[in-house]
Amino acid sequence: MARRLRIRVDYHRCVGSSICVLTAPGVFALNDRGQSAVIDPAGDGVEKILEAAEGCPTLAITVEDEDSGERLFP
Amino acid sequence: MLVQDDLLAPEVVRDPYTYFARLRQLDPVHWNERWGGWLVTRYDDIVRAFRDPARLSSDRMAHFQQELSPHDRERLHVLIRYFSRWLVFTDPPYHTRVRMLVNKAFTPTSVERLRPRVRAIVSELQDHVAHRGHMEFIRDFAFHLPVIVISEYLGVPPQDREAVKEWSDETSRIFFIRADDPQRRERSQAGLVKLLEYFEPLIHARRRHPRDDLISALVQAEERGDLLSHDELLATCTVLLFAGHETTTNLLANGLLALLRHRDQWERLARDPSLAASATEELLRYDGPVKATFRWARVDAELGGRTVRAGDRMLLVLASANRDPERFPHPDRVDITRNPNPHVAFGHGIHVCLGAPMARLEGQEAFAALAQRFPGMRLATDELEYHPTIVSRALAELPLEW
Ligand code: SF4
C-alpha cells in the first residue's frame, strides 16, 4: 500500500515561488493568496513530494510519514 | 507635489527610509513624473504585485529595446541577446524552464554543504586584518567573500577570480551606476563580452571533463534533454556569477553597519552566535542590499486603488515594504530575534532570489564570526556615503577599527 504522508506548508515561510507546484502539481497548488496549499497529499508519489520539499527555496514544506510519524523532510 | 520627485537627490540616497515612509503614508501607489513610473511602497501592494506575473512583466529588455534607436540596438546586440536570457529579466514560460533547471543547485539543502568552506573563508579573511586593528570593510572583507564563494561553486579557478570580478563590475554599470555615465551601456556590454569569452572555453572543458561544480551540472542539464541551449547556458553562467557579487557585498556591509549602530544587538550576537540566522533575516529587512525592483504592466491593472496602464513601469520598493508598520511592529528598530520576519528583501513570488540560500549562509557565517572575533569593533567615521543609484543600497566605504 502507498505510504500515507502528512505534508505541511509554513505560511510564514512560503514566498509563492511555485517550485513545489511545478514539481508535484498533483499535491500542491497556489491558493488565492498566492501561497502554496496541499490539495491532495496522495496526488503524486513520495519521490516527487520530497523533490518538491527539497526544491523549496525557504524550507517551507515539511513531510512526515502519517503512520510512523517519521520525519522525511527536512 | 507631495514629496520631492528626484530619487537620486542626496538626502534620498542617504536615507531612503524616511522618504519612502512619507510616500507610503501620503500616496502609496505614486506616479513619479520625473522618473516616469509608479512607486509602490506598501507591503501588501508589493506582495500582491509580486504574485501577479501574468499581468506584471519582468521583461526589462523588451522595454529597453523599445527605447533604443535602430543604430543603438545594433551596437548593443550582444547585451540585448544575453540579458534577455537572464532569469531576472524574463517571464514564463522561459523563466519557469530555466529556473527549474538551476534551482536544484541553490536549494537550502544543497547550499548547506558549503557551510564549512564558507566558515573557513571567513576565518581566513579575518586573519588577514586582525593584527592591523582597522580595515575598510568593503575592500578588505565584504568584497572578497561572495566572489570566492560563487567562483568556487561555479568552478572558476582562483587565479581567474580577480579578472572575472572586474568584468562583472563593468557589466553591472548599466544597472547600478548613476544614469548620467554616458558610457555605461557600452562598458556594460564590453564587460559582458569578456565574461562570455571567458565562460565559452570553460564550458567546453567541462563538457569534455565534468567536475563537481555548477558549470558541469548545467552542461549536463543541457545535454540530458537539450534543456538549456548554448546561449541559455552562457547567459545563466554570467547571471549567476554577476548576481552573487555586489548584492552580497552590500548585504554584509549594510548589515554590519546596522549592528554596529545598534550596539546592544551586536553584543547580543557576540554572546549568542546561535542568533546568526534570525539576525541575518533582520538585517536583510532593516537595510537590505536591494532597494527596489522593476515591473511593467502588460494590461491595465488596479493596484492600491490606482489604475496602472498597460506599458507603465513600476518600482516595487522593497526597502519600504520591509519598514511598513502595518506588517512589522516597530519597523525602524533592529531586533535580531524578530520572528516571524516575512521580509521581501529577496523579492517574492516566482522571481524570488534564487541565490537567497547562499546569501543567507554567507551573512550568517560572517556576522556571527565578526561579532565573536571583534567584539570591540566600531565605526572609524560617521561620514558615510552611498552610491547614488535607484535600485541598490550600496555604501562607498565602511571604515572600521577595533
Ligand atoms: S516551493 Fe516553497 S516557497 Fe515556493 S510556493 Fe512552494 S512552499 Fe511556497
Side-chain angles (χ1 to χ4, degrees):
Chain A
M1 211 190 88
R3 224 167 164 176
R4 295 193 309 144
L5 301 175
R6 176 175 293 136
I7 306 163
R8 264 184 292 228
V9 177
D10 178 342
Y11 289 105
H12 288 309
R13 288 174 178 246
C14 175
V15 290
S17 74
S18 303
I19 304 256
C20 59
V21 179
L22 293 159
T23 311
V27 175
F28 302 98
L30 288 195
N31 62 20
D32 52 6
R33 298 201 327 272
Q35 291 188 300
S36 172
V38 178
I39 47 167
D40 176 5
D44 286 296
V46 68
E47 233 169 84
K48 281 276 155 217
I49 292 167
L50 289 177
E51 192 185 325
E54 212 165 310
C56 172
T58 58
L59 286 176
I61 301 169
T62 49
V63 186
E64 279 171 16
D65 187 303
E66 175 99 64
D67 301 310
S68 67
E70 182 198 351
R71 183 61 93 92
L72 304 178
F73 192 87
Chain B
M1 207 188 316
L2 290 164
V3 288
Q4 75 116 339
D5 66 349
D6 181 3
L7 293 170
L8 294 176
E11 68 275 18
V12 178
V13 169
R14 201 180 315 118
D15 175 16
Y17 298 103
T18 303
Y19 173 75
F20 287 122
R22 235 172 101 68
L23 265 185
R24 201 169 54 226
Q25 275 166 9
L26 296 174
D27 193 19
V29 179
H30 173 75
W31 176 259
N32 183 306
E33 188 63 43
R34 179 172 177 144
W35 180 69
W38 298 94
L39 306 182
V40 186
T41 43
R42 261 188 203 157
Y43 183 94
D44 284 350
D45 291 336
I46 289 173
V47 166
R48 203 167 303 134
F50 274 131
R51 289 176 180 170
D52 199 0
R55 284 192 293 178
L56 303 178
S57 167
S58 295
D59 191 344
R60 183 171 183 150
M61 282 298 120
H63 297 84
F64 178 72
Q65 284 190 65
Q66 282 170 12
E67 292 161 18
L68 296 179
S69 67
H71 173 68
D72 279 342
R73 229 173 285 159
E74 182 52 37
R75 258 182 342 133
L76 297 171
H77 75 276
V78 180
L79 188 140
I80 292 167
R81 176 168 171 173
Y82 289 95
F83 281 1
S84 59
R85 289 176 173 79
W86 276 18
L87 278 172
V88 280
F89 300 148
T90 54
D91 293 323
Y94 172 88
H95 174 268
T96 314
R97 186 170 59 90
V98 177
R99 169 151 191 155
M100 290 304 281
L101 234 49
V102 185
N103 184 62
K104 278 206 173 80
F106 288 92
T107 63
T109 316
S110 35
V111 167
E112 187 59 32
R113 284 183 215 118
L114 306 175
R115 192 178 292 276
R117 180 65 192 134
V118 171
R119 191 166 288 174
I121 300 167
V122 165
S123 163
E124 261 173 58
L125 289 170
Q126 294 188 129
D127 291 344
H128 280 299
V129 295
H131 63 280
R132 280 205 242 139
H134 62 89
M135 70 167 143
E136 196 284 278
F137 183 65
I138 293 173
R139 190 191 56 224
D140 293 336
F141 189 103
F143 168 96
H144 297 287
L145 178 61
V147 182
I148 300 174
V149 174
I150 190 66
S151 297
E152 287 188 0
Y153 195 47
L154 261 176
V156 171
Q159 66 272 19
D160 300 337
R161 255 184 235 143
E162 287 287 317
V164 160
K165 163 82 187 161
E166 206 181 299
W167 300 328
S168 174
D169 284 348
E170 282 296 293
T171 307
S172 79
R173 286 189 173 267
I174 199 165
F175 310 116
F176 296 143
I177 302 295
R178 197 176 178 133
D180 60 10
D181 171 2
Q183 291 297 307
R184 69 194 215 285
R185 290 169 172 167
E186 285 69 20
R187 291 182 67 174
S188 181
Q189 174 162 282
L192 181 66
V193 166
K194 287 284 192 192
L195 285 176
L196 294 166
E197 285 171 358
Y198 177 78
F199 278 114
E200 182 83 48
L202 204 60
I203 288 169
H204 284 300
R206 293 300 192 275
R207 190 167 280 141
R208 282 194 302 274
H209 306 290
R211 292 192 195 167
D212 183 18
D213 62 32
L214 189 53
I215 297 180
S216 306
L218 292 172
V219 166
Q220 283 162 358
E222 175 194 22
E223 283 175 345
R224 260 203 309 275
D226 196 23
L227 287 166
L228 272 184
S229 74
H230 191 64
D231 262 7
E232 291 167 1
L233 188 55
L234 273 170
T236 304
C237 284
T238 54
V239 72
L240 295 185
L241 181 99
F242 173 88
H245 277 172
E246 173 148 355
T247 43
T248 313
T249 299
N250 294 335
L251 156 66
L252 297 172
N254 300 351
L256 185 62
L257 173 63
L259 281 175
L260 294 176
R261 283 192 169 154
H262 297 82
R263 201 79 209 171
D264 56 322
Q265 303 294 306
W266 173 251
E267 282 158 14
R268 199 157 173 197
L269 182 60
R271 276 196 311 273
D272 184 1
S274 76
L275 292 173
S278 67
T280 302
E281 298 312 306
E282 177 66 345
L283 299 168
L284 279 157
R285 181 195 71 80
Y286 179 78
D287 195 17
V290 179
K291 279 189 290 198
T293 71
F294 294 89
R295 288 295 184 272
W296 286 264
R298 278 180 223 276
V299 290
D300 292 358
E302 193 274 338
L303 192 64
R306 296 291 202 126
T307 304
V308 174
R309 300 272 170 218
D312 285 356
R313 67 171 174 173
M314 62 186 72
L315 200 62
L316 305 180
V317 186
L318 310 177
S320 172
N322 286 338
R323 299 278 191 110
D324 188 338
E326 300 273 314
R327 197 71 188 79
F328 300 98
H330 307 293
D332 298 322
R333 212 180 263 174
V334 176
D335 172 5
I336 65 171
T337 64
R338 191 184 287 270
N339 180 37
N341 191 346
H343 66 75
V344 287
F346 291 120
H348 195 96
I350 65 166
H351 279 280
V352 71
C353 175
L354 193 59
M358 193 177 267
R360 290 189 153 111
L361 170 61
E362 292 179 40
Q364 291 163 9
E365 289 300 320
F367 295 131
L370 287 161
Q372 295 253 280
R373 179 97 168 248
F374 306 103
M377 184 178 270
R378 57 192 179 272
L379 289 175
T381 172
D382 267 327
E383 307 281 301
L384 296 172
E385 237 180 83
Y386 288 87
H387 289 298
T389 85
I390 292 179
V391 298
S392 72
R393 174 84 168 146
L395 283 160
E397 289 189 334
L398 184 59
L400 304 171
E401 53 194 27
W402 55 88

PDB file of all heavy atoms in Angstrom, chain B residues 97-119:
ATOM      1  N   ARG B  97      11.172  27.271 -17.106  1.00  0.00           N
ATOM      2  CA  ARG B  97      12.004  26.153 -17.550  1.00  0.00           C
ATOM      3  C   ARG B  97      13.432  26.286 -17.017  1.00  0.00           C
ATOM      4  O   ARG B  97      13.967  25.367 -16.391  1.00  0.00           O
ATOM      5  CB  ARG B  97      12.030  26.142 -19.081  1.00  0.00           C
ATOM      6  CG  ARG B  97      12.743  24.958 -19.689  1.00  0.00           C
ATOM      7  CD  ARG B  97      12.499  24.905 -21.189  1.00  0.00           C
ATOM      8  NE  ARG B  97      12.952  26.120 -21.845  1.00  0.00           N
ATOM      9  CZ  ARG B  97      14.176  26.294 -22.335  1.00  0.00           C
ATOM     10  NH1 ARG B  97      15.061  25.341 -22.245  1.00  0.00           N
ATOM     11  NH2 ARG B  97      14.515  27.427 -22.893  1.00  0.00           N
ATOM     12  N   VAL B  98      14.036  27.453 -17.197  1.00  0.00           N
ATOM     13  CA  VAL B  98      15.427  27.618 -16.787  1.00  0.00           C
ATOM     14  C   VAL B  98      15.540  27.623 -15.271  1.00  0.00           C
ATOM     15  O   VAL B  98      16.433  27.034 -14.682  1.00  0.00           O
ATOM     16  CB  VAL B  98      16.039  28.884 -17.416  1.00  0.00           C
ATOM     17  CG1 VAL B  98      17.462  29.087 -16.915  1.00  0.00           C
ATOM     18  CG2 VAL B  98      16.017  28.776 -18.931  1.00  0.00           C
ATOM     19  N   ARG B  99      14.590  28.261 -14.629  1.00  0.00           N
ATOM     20  CA  ARG B  99      14.642  28.330 -13.175  1.00  0.00           C
ATOM     21  C   ARG B  99      14.553  26.941 -12.545  1.00  0.00           C
ATOM     22  O   ARG B  99      15.267  26.620 -11.604  1.00  0.00           O
ATOM     23  CB  ARG B  99      13.509  29.194 -12.655  1.00  0.00           C
ATOM     24  CG  ARG B  99      13.413  29.053 -11.189  1.00  0.00           C
ATOM     25  CD  ARG B  99      12.892  30.218 -10.483  1.00  0.00           C
ATOM     26  NE  ARG B  99      13.149  29.952  -9.088  1.00  0.00           N
ATOM     27  CZ  ARG B  99      13.280  30.833  -8.164  1.00  0.00           C
ATOM     28  NH1 ARG B  99      13.174  32.084  -8.457  1.00  0.00           N
ATOM     29  NH2 ARG B  99      13.513  30.495  -6.928  1.00  0.00           N
ATOM     30  N   MET B 100      13.667  26.109 -13.055  1.00  0.00           N
ATOM     31  CA  MET B 100      13.538  24.762 -12.503  1.00  0.00           C
ATOM     32  C   MET B 100      14.841  23.989 -12.670  1.00  0.00           C
ATOM     33  O   MET B 100      15.214  23.179 -11.832  1.00  0.00           O
ATOM     34  CB  MET B 100      12.386  24.012 -13.184  1.00  0.00           C
ATOM     35  CG  MET B 100      11.005  24.536 -12.821  1.00  0.00           C
ATOM     36  SD  MET B 100      10.676  24.541 -11.047  1.00  0.00           S
ATOM     37  CE  MET B 100      10.289  22.815 -10.778  1.00  0.00           C
ATOM     38  N   LEU B 101      15.520  24.255 -13.761  1.00  0.00           N
ATOM     39  CA  LEU B 101      16.787  23.575 -14.039  1.00  0.00           C
ATOM     40  C   LEU B 101      17.895  24.013 -13.081  1.00  0.00           C
ATOM     41  O   LEU B 101      18.720  23.228 -12.645  1.00  0.00           O
ATOM     42  CB  LEU B 101      17.198  23.929 -15.473  1.00  0.00           C
ATOM     43  CG  LEU B 101      17.502  22.821 -16.430  1.00  0.00           C
ATOM     44  CD1 LEU B 101      16.439  21.763 -16.446  1.00  0.00           C
ATOM     45  CD2 LEU B 101      17.683  23.389 -17.830  1.00  0.00           C
ATOM     46  N   VAL B 102      17.914  25.311 -12.777  1.00  0.00           N
ATOM     47  CA  VAL B 102      19.003  25.853 -11.966  1.00  0.00           C
ATOM     48  C   VAL B 102      18.687  25.748 -10.473  1.00  0.00           C
ATOM     49  O   VAL B 102      19.587  25.684  -9.638  1.00  0.00           O
ATOM     50  CB  VAL B 102      19.262  27.332 -12.347  1.00  0.00           C
ATOM     51  CG1 VAL B 102      20.465  27.872 -11.600  1.00  0.00           C
ATOM     52  CG2 VAL B 102      19.485  27.468 -13.844  1.00  0.00           C
ATOM     53  N   ASN B 103      17.408  25.714 -10.135  1.00  0.00           N
ATOM     54  CA  ASN B 103      17.001  25.793  -8.739  1.00  0.00           C
ATOM     55  C   ASN B 103      17.672  24.745  -7.834  1.00  0.00           C
ATOM     56  O   ASN B 103      18.097  25.060  -6.724  1.00  0.00           O
ATOM     57  CB  ASN B 103      15.478  25.656  -8.625  1.00  0.00           C
ATOM     58  CG  ASN B 103      14.999  25.841  -7.196  1.00  0.00           C
ATOM     59  OD1 ASN B 103      15.177  26.897  -6.610  1.00  0.00           O
ATOM     60  ND2 ASN B 103      14.430  24.798  -6.624  1.00  0.00           N
ATOM     61  N   LYS B 104      17.760  23.528  -8.355  1.00  0.00           N
ATOM     62  CA  LYS B 104      18.308  22.429  -7.542  1.00  0.00           C
ATOM     63  C   LYS B 104      19.656  22.764  -6.922  1.00  0.00           C
ATOM     64  O   LYS B 104      19.952  22.370  -5.807  1.00  0.00           O
ATOM     65  CB  LYS B 104      18.474  21.187  -8.421  1.00  0.00           C
ATOM     66  CG  LYS B 104      17.218  20.404  -8.597  1.00  0.00           C
ATOM     67  CD  LYS B 104      17.568  18.929  -8.897  1.00  0.00           C
ATOM     68  CE  LYS B 104      16.319  18.096  -8.906  1.00  0.00           C
ATOM     69  NZ  LYS B 104      15.593  18.233 -10.191  1.00  0.00           N
ATOM     70  N   ALA B 105      20.465  23.501  -7.673  1.00  0.00           N
ATOM     71  CA  ALA B 105      21.802  23.830  -7.190  1.00  0.00           C
ATOM     72  C   ALA B 105      21.757  24.831  -6.045  1.00  0.00           C
ATOM     73  O   ALA B 105      22.724  24.998  -5.317  1.00  0.00           O
ATOM     74  CB  ALA B 105      22.634  24.389  -8.330  1.00  0.00           C
ATOM     75  N   PHE B 106      20.625  25.527  -5.889  1.00  0.00           N
ATOM     76  CA  PHE B 106      20.559  26.613  -4.910  1.00  0.00           C
ATOM     77  C   PHE B 106      19.551  26.381  -3.803  1.00  0.00           C
ATOM     78  O   PHE B 106      19.136  27.317  -3.133  1.00  0.00           O
ATOM     79  CB  PHE B 106      20.247  27.933  -5.629  1.00  0.00           C
ATOM     80  CG  PHE B 106      21.410  28.443  -6.419  1.00  0.00           C
ATOM     81  CD1 PHE B 106      21.553  28.110  -7.756  1.00  0.00           C
ATOM     82  CD2 PHE B 106      22.397  29.213  -5.817  1.00  0.00           C
ATOM     83  CE1 PHE B 106      22.644  28.551  -8.483  1.00  0.00           C
ATOM     84  CE2 PHE B 106      23.484  29.662  -6.543  1.00  0.00           C
ATOM     85  CZ  PHE B 106      23.609  29.329  -7.882  1.00  0.00           C
ATOM     86  N   THR B 107      19.129  25.143  -3.611  1.00  0.00           N
ATOM     87  CA  THR B 107      18.196  24.898  -2.520  1.00  0.00           C
ATOM     88  C   THR B 107      18.951  25.005  -1.189  1.00  0.00           C
ATOM     89  O   THR B 107      20.170  24.850  -1.149  1.00  0.00           O
ATOM     90  CB  THR B 107      17.589  23.496  -2.614  1.00  0.00           C
ATOM     91  OG1 THR B 107      18.642  22.546  -2.471  1.00  0.00           O
ATOM     92  CG2 THR B 107      16.888  23.287  -3.943  1.00  0.00           C
ATOM     93  N   PRO B 108      18.219  25.273  -0.117  1.00  0.00           N
ATOM     94  CA  PRO B 108      18.881  25.348   1.186  1.00  0.00           C
ATOM     95  C   PRO B 108      19.727  24.107   1.476  1.00  0.00           C
ATOM     96  O   PRO B 108      20.821  24.211   2.027  1.00  0.00           O
ATOM     97  CB  PRO B 108      17.715  25.463   2.167  1.00  0.00           C
ATOM     98  CG  PRO B 108      16.616  26.088   1.375  1.00  0.00           C
ATOM     99  CD  PRO B 108      16.778  25.582  -0.028  1.00  0.00           C
ATOM    100  N   THR B 109      19.236  22.937   1.068  1.00  0.00           N
ATOM    101  CA  THR B 109      19.974  21.709   1.353  1.00  0.00           C
ATOM    102  C   THR B 109      21.277  21.640   0.564  1.00  0.00           C
ATOM    103  O   THR B 109      22.335  21.312   1.121  1.00  0.00           O
ATOM    104  CB  THR B 109      19.115  20.471   1.004  1.00  0.00           C
ATOM    105  OG1 THR B 109      17.799  20.692   1.486  1.00  0.00           O
ATOM    106  CG2 THR B 109      19.686  19.224   1.622  1.00  0.00           C
ATOM    107  N   SER B 110      21.243  21.967  -0.734  1.00  0.00           N
ATOM    108  CA  SER B 110      22.493  21.854  -1.492  1.00  0.00           C
ATOM    109  C   SER B 110      23.492  22.940  -1.085  1.00  0.00           C
ATOM    110  O   SER B 110      24.696  22.712  -1.102  1.00  0.00           O
ATOM    111  CB  SER B 110      22.248  21.854  -3.006  1.00  0.00           C
ATOM    112  OG  SER B 110      21.190  22.671  -3.370  1.00  0.00           O
ATOM    113  N   VAL B 111      22.987  24.095  -0.698  1.00  0.00           N
ATOM    114  CA  VAL B 111      23.892  25.175  -0.301  1.00  0.00           C
ATOM    115  C   VAL B 111      24.487  24.924   1.093  1.00  0.00           C
ATOM    116  O   VAL B 111      25.617  25.307   1.376  1.00  0.00           O
ATOM    117  CB  VAL B 111      23.144  26.528  -0.375  1.00  0.00           C
ATOM    118  CG1 VAL B 111      23.911  27.634   0.316  1.00  0.00           C
ATOM    119  CG2 VAL B 111      22.883  26.901  -1.838  1.00  0.00           C
ATOM    120  N   GLU B 112      23.722  24.253   1.939  1.00  0.00           N
ATOM    121  CA  GLU B 112      24.192  23.973   3.301  1.00  0.00           C
ATOM    122  C   GLU B 112      25.541  23.241   3.306  1.00  0.00           C
ATOM    123  O   GLU B 112      26.360  23.428   4.201  1.00  0.00           O
ATOM    124  CB  GLU B 112      23.119  23.164   4.049  1.00  0.00           C
ATOM    125  CG  GLU B 112      23.375  22.942   5.521  1.00  0.00           C
ATOM    126  CD  GLU B 112      23.501  24.235   6.335  1.00  0.00           C
ATOM    127  OE1 GLU B 112      22.847  25.231   5.981  1.00  0.00           O
ATOM    128  OE2 GLU B 112      24.263  24.239   7.311  1.00  0.00           O
ATOM    129  N   ARG B 113      25.757  22.446   2.275  1.00  0.00           N
ATOM    130  CA  ARG B 113      27.033  21.713   2.187  1.00  0.00           C
ATOM    131  C   ARG B 113      28.241  22.634   2.110  1.00  0.00           C
ATOM    132  O   ARG B 113      29.359  22.226   2.363  1.00  0.00           O
ATOM    133  CB  ARG B 113      27.038  20.812   0.942  1.00  0.00           C
ATOM    134  CG  ARG B 113      26.206  19.587   1.132  1.00  0.00           C
ATOM    135  CD  ARG B 113      26.269  18.660  -0.081  1.00  0.00           C
ATOM    136  NE  ARG B 113      24.976  18.050  -0.241  1.00  0.00           N
ATOM    137  CZ  ARG B 113      24.188  18.200  -1.300  1.00  0.00           C
ATOM    138  NH1 ARG B 113      24.596  18.893  -2.338  1.00  0.00           N
ATOM    139  NH2 ARG B 113      23.005  17.636  -1.324  1.00  0.00           N
ATOM    140  N   LEU B 114      28.005  23.877   1.715  1.00  0.00           N
ATOM    141  CA  LEU B 114      29.125  24.811   1.588  1.00  0.00           C
ATOM    142  C   LEU B 114      29.519  25.435   2.923  1.00  0.00           C
ATOM    143  O   LEU B 114      30.511  26.143   3.012  1.00  0.00           O
ATOM    144  CB  LEU B 114      28.767  25.942   0.621  1.00  0.00           C
ATOM    145  CG  LEU B 114      28.278  25.552  -0.767  1.00  0.00           C
ATOM    146  CD1 LEU B 114      27.867  26.783  -1.540  1.00  0.00           C
ATOM    147  CD2 LEU B 114      29.364  24.794  -1.510  1.00  0.00           C
ATOM    148  N   ARG B 115      28.708  25.206   3.965  1.00  0.00           N
ATOM    149  CA  ARG B 115      28.924  25.953   5.203  1.00  0.00           C
ATOM    150  C   ARG B 115      30.346  25.844   5.758  1.00  0.00           C
ATOM    151  O   ARG B 115      30.956  26.864   6.085  1.00  0.00           O
ATOM    152  CB  ARG B 115      27.890  25.584   6.277  1.00  0.00           C
ATOM    153  CG  ARG B 115      27.908  26.532   7.465  1.00  0.00           C
ATOM    154  CD  ARG B 115      26.846  26.204   8.501  1.00  0.00           C
ATOM    155  NE  ARG B 115      25.487  26.440   8.063  1.00  0.00           N
ATOM    156  CZ  ARG B 115      24.866  27.629   8.112  1.00  0.00           C
ATOM    157  NH1 ARG B 115      25.480  28.694   8.590  1.00  0.00           N
ATOM    158  NH2 ARG B 115      23.630  27.752   7.683  1.00  0.00           N
ATOM    159  N   PRO B 116      30.908  24.635   5.864  1.00  0.00           N
ATOM    160  CA  PRO B 116      32.271  24.567   6.412  1.00  0.00           C
ATOM    161  C   PRO B 116      33.270  25.382   5.593  1.00  0.00           C
ATOM    162  O   PRO B 116      34.149  26.042   6.147  1.00  0.00           O
ATOM    163  CB  PRO B 116      32.616  23.075   6.327  1.00  0.00           C
ATOM    164  CG  PRO B 116      31.335  22.358   6.124  1.00  0.00           C
ATOM    165  CD  PRO B 116      30.362  23.318   5.529  1.00  0.00           C
ATOM    166  N   ARG B 117      33.124  25.355   4.292  1.00  0.00           N
ATOM    167  CA  ARG B 117      34.033  26.097   3.428  1.00  0.00           C
ATOM    168  C   ARG B 117      33.846  27.610   3.609  1.00  0.00           C
ATOM    169  O   ARG B 117      34.808  28.357   3.707  1.00  0.00           O
ATOM    170  CB  ARG B 117      33.794  25.672   1.966  1.00  0.00           C
ATOM    171  CG  ARG B 117      34.652  26.353   0.948  1.00  0.00           C
ATOM    172  CD  ARG B 117      36.139  26.021   1.095  1.00  0.00           C
ATOM    173  NE  ARG B 117      36.945  26.915   0.276  1.00  0.00           N
ATOM    174  CZ  ARG B 117      38.049  27.532   0.674  1.00  0.00           C
ATOM    175  NH1 ARG B 117      38.512  27.344   1.899  1.00  0.00           N
ATOM    176  NH2 ARG B 117      38.704  28.320  -0.123  1.00  0.00           N
ATOM    177  N   VAL B 118      32.594  28.045   3.702  1.00  0.00           N
ATOM    178  CA  VAL B 118      32.326  29.473   3.908  1.00  0.00           C
ATOM    179  C   VAL B 118      32.926  29.915   5.240  1.00  0.00           C
ATOM    180  O   VAL B 118      33.559  30.970   5.346  1.00  0.00           O
ATOM    181  CB  VAL B 118      30.810  29.770   3.853  1.00  0.00           C
ATOM    182  CG1 VAL B 118      30.505  31.196   4.277  1.00  0.00           C
ATOM    183  CG2 VAL B 118      30.267  29.512   2.455  1.00  0.00           C
ATOM    184  N   ARG B 119      32.773  29.075   6.246  1.00  0.00           N
ATOM    185  CA  ARG B 119      33.321  29.392   7.564  1.00  0.00           C
ATOM    186  C   ARG B 119      34.841  29.544   7.492  1.00  0.00           C
ATOM    187  O   ARG B 119      35.419  30.466   8.069  1.00  0.00           O
ATOM    188  CB  ARG B 119      32.944  28.270   8.544  1.00  0.00           C
ATOM    189  CG  ARG B 119      33.213  28.606   9.972  1.00  0.00           C
ATOM    190  CD  ARG B 119      32.513  27.633  10.896  1.00  0.00           C
ATOM    191  NE  ARG B 119      31.067  27.834  10.916  1.00  0.00           N
ATOM    192  CZ  ARG B 119      30.214  27.048  11.559  1.00  0.00           C
ATOM    193  NH1 ARG B 119      30.665  26.000  12.223  1.00  0.00           N
ATOM    194  NH2 ARG B 119      28.922  27.290  11.532  1.00  0.00           N
TER     195      ARG B 119
END
